[in-house]
């Protein structure tokens, strides 16, 4: 028997039931806590569900669906544990309506997690970020069985294999494409827990799934387990196939030595090669997903579609279907309740839509300590950061409002900027492109999984791109193995955008448009317009020469006096001078200069915060939110939208 209890207010959790818990009597036909049958079954291994939804956002049918999903997986989980579920108390399954609510309650915004030291799992039920699709309930059962410290690749690999799907597809699809792109790390890194946990949480669990599958299906790989192999009916390996019967033994006992890992590396790479060959080579970017490989007998069946992960949504390369009336959407709150993953971000995107915006660039950041370092480039996981769940929430919220999305990852350096990143040795350059490739490859996978229309290969890395064009060309080819949408690059204004040597390797020319419109403090309207026309004309000619559309992937002016002189700067601090009218004037000039320019296919203003208007916090800053420039943009965007609808 499974019970569902409803929390009218958030009370926390622990052993027993809080006094103010209301039992879900009658829900799904389940018994109330006073039922004697229920009391007896409470001590059997099963699930007790807790709903943390004080606002009543979750329909009860959605809660029932979560219960059914976990119930359907129990047989597979039992098989993975050697056919025996450990005795003991039921697993406490905590259901949260959104990743934001889950993060606020647990300080963990992942869609599903099993806290250490607790016989519990926390799941998000947010559409498109559904933790109940992931078999996280396996982890507390392994712990309850008294298993010692395990290899994370095996644990998470088993979780993925038992899950309904992984980002909407079979894990083998992602791994085969990632291997073809050179994104799968060596086996020694996969089997190192610290490296595994700091790597891509999209790719490495799927790699772990393929590793578990491979080790269990090939009886010759680990002789120490061969004496206990069992025949798996219908398995192509016959008597050598272990299937799930030996997973628990593998999980408990296998701690490979360096020599053993080295011996497995070559056959492991051959296995990945065969996985890649099982899928057709990708055709032109944008033709959709590669065909699915033959399912393993260990794999769970997939649902045909997952909200927010329809692979058919990624368009082809070339010009966007309409002029992109966009904003750079920035994670400004730095906390769970006002960053990308928040209800505030959803409201902020809704406001952008009301202005006539039809596209947003979502900006996940990484950090590099110094411009001479080759990496690594960490992927944020902290709650309140630009973690994958928060980024995905922003993507889905924008798509729900009919907006195109550009994923535009950035590198942040203290006291420097991305344009100064430069290595001093060939070895460091090799390491840089290895680390950078893994980082941008992670976001390519996220973009592909979420149907993101455009991806920037990089942003304003002027020293690196001008010095190493061949490496960037090769990187673009690699990323196309996993991403089928429009691939571009956002160059800095001036030398980088005008001299870049690999525009033919991407689909669009992105530019951070911070060309000065005038050097004078009091220019006339005509002088400002002349400066804008000159810069835009140069970019149009660049696009014609390379036969690529040009997109102003960043453009903006701070709310300070004479922002047209050095558009890339903003004043900060208590002494910052504020001039919102000068900002609006600059916006107006640029919108006028863009009229009728067929070679410029979009603009993304810098920037709009996830929190909504922030003029009180940084009144001299770039955002036009709540300032006269916002009305300039709204009038222009709405007129462009009307013209597109009624040409």
């Amino acid at each position: 028997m499974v019970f569902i209890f409803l929390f009218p207010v958030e009370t926390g959790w622990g052993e027993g039931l809080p006094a103010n818990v209301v039992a879900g009597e009658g829900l799904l036909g389940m018994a109330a806590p006073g039922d004697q049958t229920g009391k007896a079954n409470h001590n059997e291994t099963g699930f007790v569900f807790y709903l943390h939804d004080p606002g009543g956002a979750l329909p009860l049918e959605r809660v029932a669906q979560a219960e059914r999903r976990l119930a359907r997986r129990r047989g597979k989980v039992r098989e993975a544990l050697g056919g025996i579920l450990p005795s003991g108390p039921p697993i406490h399954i905590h259901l949260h309506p959104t990743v934001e609510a889950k993060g606020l309650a647990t300080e963990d915004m992942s869609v599903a997690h099993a806290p250490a030291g607790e016989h519990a799992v926390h799941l998000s039920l947010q559409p498109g970020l559904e933790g109940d699709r992931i078999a996280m309930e396996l982890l507390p059962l392994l712990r309850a069985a008294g298993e010692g410290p395990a290899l994370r690749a095996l644990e998470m690999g088993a979780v993925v294999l038992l899950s309904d799907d992984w980002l909407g597809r079979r894990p083998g699809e992602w791994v085969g494409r990632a291997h073809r792109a050179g994104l799968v790390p060596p086996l020694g890194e996969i089997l190192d827990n610290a490296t595994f946990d700091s790597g891509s949480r999209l790719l490495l669990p799927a790699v772990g799934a393929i590793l578990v599958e491979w080790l269990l299906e090939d009886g010759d790989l680990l002789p120490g387990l061969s004496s206990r192999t069992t025949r798996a009916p219908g398995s192509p390996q016959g008597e050598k196939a272990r299937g799930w019967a030996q997973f628990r033994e593998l999980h408990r006992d296998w701690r490979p030595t360096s020599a053993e890992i080295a011996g497995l590396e070559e056959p492991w790479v051959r296995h990945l090669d065969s996985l890649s060959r099982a899928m057709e080579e990708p055709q032109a970017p944008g033709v959709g997903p590669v065909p699915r490989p033959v399912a393993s007998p260990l794999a769970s069946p997939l649902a045909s579609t997952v909200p927010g992960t329809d692979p058919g949504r990624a368009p082809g390369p070339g010009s966007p279907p309409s002029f992109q009336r966009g904003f750079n959407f920035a994670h400004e709150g730095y906390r769970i309740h006002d960053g990308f993953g928040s209800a505030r971000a959803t409201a902020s995107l809704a406001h952008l839509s009301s202005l006539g915006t039809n596209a947003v660039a979502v900006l996940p950041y990484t950090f590099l300590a110094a411009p001479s370092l080759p990496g690594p480039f960490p992927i944020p996981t902290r709650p309140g950061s630009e973690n994958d769940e928060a980024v995905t929430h922003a993507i889905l919220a924008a798509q729900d409002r009919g907006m195109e999305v550009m994923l535009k990852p950035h590198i942040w350096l203290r006291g420097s900027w991305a344009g100064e990143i430069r290595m001093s040795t060939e070895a460091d350059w090799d390491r840089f492109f290895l680390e950078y490739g893994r980082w941008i490859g992670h976001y390519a996978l996220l973009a592909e999984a979420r149907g993101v229309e455009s991806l920037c290969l990089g942003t304003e890395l002027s020293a690196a791109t001008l010095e190493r064009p061949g490496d960037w060309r090769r990187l673009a080819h690699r990323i196309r193995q996993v991403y089928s949408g429009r691939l571009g690059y956002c160059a800095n204004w001036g030398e980088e955008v005008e001299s870049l040597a690999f525009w033919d390797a991407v689909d669009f020319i992105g530019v951070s448009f911070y060309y000065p419109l005038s050097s004078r403090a009091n220019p006339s309207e005509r002088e400002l317009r002349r400066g804008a026309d000159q810069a835009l004309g140069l970019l149009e000619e660049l696009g014609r020469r390379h036969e690529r559309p040009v997109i102003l992937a960043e453009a903006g002016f701070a709310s300070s006096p004479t922002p047209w002189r050095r558009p890339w700067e903003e004043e900060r601090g208590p002494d910052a001078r504020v001039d919102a009218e000068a900002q609006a004037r600059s916006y107006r000039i640029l919108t006028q200069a863009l009229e009728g320019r067929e070679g410029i296919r979009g603009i993304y203003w810098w920037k709009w915060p996830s929190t909504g208007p922030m003029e009180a916090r940084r009144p001299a800053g770039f955002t036009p939110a709540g300032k006269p420039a916002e009305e300039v943009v709204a009038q222009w965007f709405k007129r462009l939208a009307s013209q597109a609808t009624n040409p």
Side-chain angles (χ1 to χ4, degrees):
M1 186 70 67
V2 179
F3 299 112
I4 297 180
F5 302 102
L6 304 181
F7 283 66
V9 294
E10 189 62 65
T11 60
W13 39 83
E15 295 297 322
L17 298 176
N20 63 341
V21 169
V22 177
E25 186 170 6
L27 181 61
L28 307 181
M30 303 300 174
D35 182 271
Q36 295 301 311
T37 305
K39 285 185 178 180
N41 282 297
H42 188 78
N43 292 321
E44 295 177 2
T45 299
F47 306 122
V48 177
F49 287 80
Y50 296 88
L51 179 59
H52 301 272
D53 186 23
L58 277 173
L60 293 185
E61 174 53 33
R62 179 64 186 91
V63 177
Q65 182 187 41
E67 186 274 333
R68 290 193 296 269
R69 282 178 173 169
L70 270 73
R72 281 199 304 267
R73 286 199 298 261
R74 287 193 70 194
K76 277 284 188 181
V77 171
R78 180 185 289 108
E79 190 178 354
L81 292 169
I84 302 173
L85 288 174
S87 60
I91 301 175
H92 291 207
I93 307 293
H94 297 273
L95 305 177
H96 304 267
T98 64
V99 291
E100 178 186 19
K102 180 176 177 293
L104 290 170
T106 68
E107 287 294 312
D108 189 313
M109 288 184 71
S110 60
V111 297
H113 82 284
E118 297 182 31
H119 199 60
V121 172
H122 291 267
L123 306 175
S124 159
L125 299 189
Q126 180 175 339
L129 289 163
E130 298 169 308
D132 57 325
R133 303 188 75 90
I134 299 174
M136 197 61 69
E137 66 271 19
L138 176 65
L139 295 191
L141 288 171
L142 286 172
R143 296 166 188 164
E147 308 292 339
L151 295 173
R152 289 283 291 154
L154 299 186
E155 281 192 341
M156 289 308 300
V159 166
V160 170
L161 283 175
L162 294 169
S163 297
D164 294 5
D165 53 69
W166 190 249
L167 299 174
R169 307 185 196 180
R170 294 187 177 94
E173 288 188 50
W174 296 117
V175 176
R177 298 173 76 169
H179 176 63
R180 198 159 53 207
L183 299 177
V184 178
L187 190 58
E189 293 185 26
I190 296 167
L191 293 173
D192 180 85
N193 283 354
T195 304
F196 185 92
D197 284 337
S198 65
S200 171
R201 295 190 179 186
L202 303 181
L203 175 60
L204 291 185
V207 172
I210 301 306
L211 178 63
V212 169
E213 203 173 52
W214 179 61
L215 291 172
L216 293 181
E217 287 183 349
D218 191 334
D220 291 328
L221 291 172
L222 301 177
L225 296 180
S226 295
S227 61
R228 296 184 232 181
T229 56
T230 58
R231 183 180 183 87
S235 170
Q237 285 82 20
E239 293 183 359
K240 291 184 178 180
R242 297 186 176 93
W244 281 116
Q246 267 64 50
F247 170 73
R248 188 167 173 182
E249 181 183 356
L250 180 71
H251 173 268
R252 183 185 64 235
D253 298 338
W254 192 49
R255 301 296 181 270
T257 64
S258 298
E260 189 174 6
I261 293 172
L264 288 171
E265 183 69 43
E266 185 178 345
W268 166 243
V269 171
R270 287 199 304 268
H271 180 67
L272 294 178
D273 289 342
S274 67
L275 192 66
S276 292
R277 287 194 299 270
M279 298 178 291
E280 295 177 1
E281 289 291 327
Q283 303 172 36
V287 297
V290 294
R292 292 179 174 173
V294 177
S296 160
L298 297 176
S300 297
L302 283 178
S304 58
T305 58
V306 181
T309 60
D310 179 3
R313 292 168 68 177
S319 294
S322 59
F323 186 87
Q324 294 181 337
R325 309 183 301 272
F327 270 92
N328 282 272
F329 189 60
H331 178 97
E332 291 283 3
Y334 312 111
R335 295 170 296 184
I336 295 171
H337 68 272
D338 52 14
F340 276 157
S342 65
R344 285 188 181 181
T346 303
S348 190
L349 286 164
H351 185 78
L352 280 181
S353 180
S354 74
L355 301 181
T357 303
N358 69 353
V360 291
V362 178
L363 318 174
Y365 274 78
T366 190
F367 172 78
L368 191 63
S372 60
L373 294 178
F377 299 91
I379 299 163
T381 58
R382 181 183 59 81
S385 69
E386 300 107 314
N387 56 64
D388 291 342
E389 290 76 18
V391 169
T392 299
H393 172 92
I395 290 169
L396 298 179
Q399 291 172 335
D400 286 346
R401 284 151 186 81
M403 291 188 262
E404 275 204 13
V405 176
M406 175 190 291
L407 193 58
K408 186 164 160 279
H410 284 238
I411 301 174
W412 186 84
L413 296 96
R414 189 183 302 277
S416 183
W417 70 296
E420 295 179 340
I421 293 174
R422 176 185 280 113
M423 304 299 110
S424 57
T425 68
E426 281 298 310
D428 279 352
W429 275 119
D430 289 344
R431 186 69 186 179
F432 170 82
F433 281 101
L434 173 68
E435 298 285 357
Y436 187 91
R438 290 179 179 178
W439 175 70
I440 198 67
H442 170 85
Y443 287 108
L445 287 167
L446 191 153
E448 180 72 6
R450 298 300 177 177
V452 170
E453 289 83 356
S454 301
L455 171 69
C456 276
L457 190 64
T459 301
E460 299 177 5
L461 292 150
S462 52
T465 58
L466 295 177
E467 188 170 332
R468 311 289 294 197
D471 289 316
W472 287 96
R473 186 181 299 278
R474 285 185 287 274
L475 180 59
H477 174 74
R478 290 169 55 198
I479 294 304
R480 289 195 189 278
Q481 308 306 306
V482 294
Y483 177 65
S484 60
R486 293 191 294 268
L487 182 65
Y489 175 79
C490 178
N492 197 32
W493 67 278
E495 181 185 12
E496 186 184 17
V497 70
E498 295 164 25
S499 304
L500 200 73
F502 60 87
W503 285 128
D504 60 315
V506 295
D507 302 319
F508 64 88
I509 296 171
V511 58
S512 291
F513 185 87
Y514 296 114
Y515 285 90
L517 305 188
S518 172
S519 61
R520 298 179 59 207
N522 296 295
S524 66
E525 297 288 302
R526 178 175 295 182
E527 185 177 348
L528 289 173
R529 175 64 184 270
R530 184 165 58 246
D533 284 338
Q534 182 178 352
L536 292 172
L538 183 153
L539 293 174
E540 279 197 302
E541 174 55 32
L542 184 72
R544 283 191 292 269
R545 187 163 71 248
H546 292 285
E547 299 181 331
R548 294 291 185 274
V550 175
I551 294 173
L552 309 188
E554 286 185 26
F557 304 89
S559 309
S560 57
T562 68
W564 50 79
R565 298 174 75 179
R566 298 170 67 85
W568 60 91
E569 290 185 349
E570 69 174 350
E571 296 188 23
R572 298 189 180 191
D575 298 326
R577 299 169 299 163
V578 178
D579 191 338
E581 289 299 331
Q583 181 192 44
R585 183 187 185 198
S586 302
Y587 268 69
R588 192 175 299 110
I589 290 294
L590 186 52
T591 62
Q592 293 168 357
L594 282 165
E595 294 288 344
R597 293 187 179 274
E598 293 297 325
I600 310 294
R601 298 301 302 147
I603 184 171
Y604 290 78
W605 296 105
W606 184 268
K607 58 186 174 175
W608 193 273
S610 57
T611 55
M614 294 179 63
E615 66 276 8
R617 175 177 165 185
R618 195 178 296 164
F622 275 99
T623 181
K627 305 172 186 176
E630 179 181 340
E631 183 58 27
V632 173
V633 172
Q635 290 181 7
W636 185 53
F637 275 4
K638 289 175 182 178
R639 182 164 58 80
L640 292 178
S642 177
Q643 291 172 352
T645 305
N646 304 294

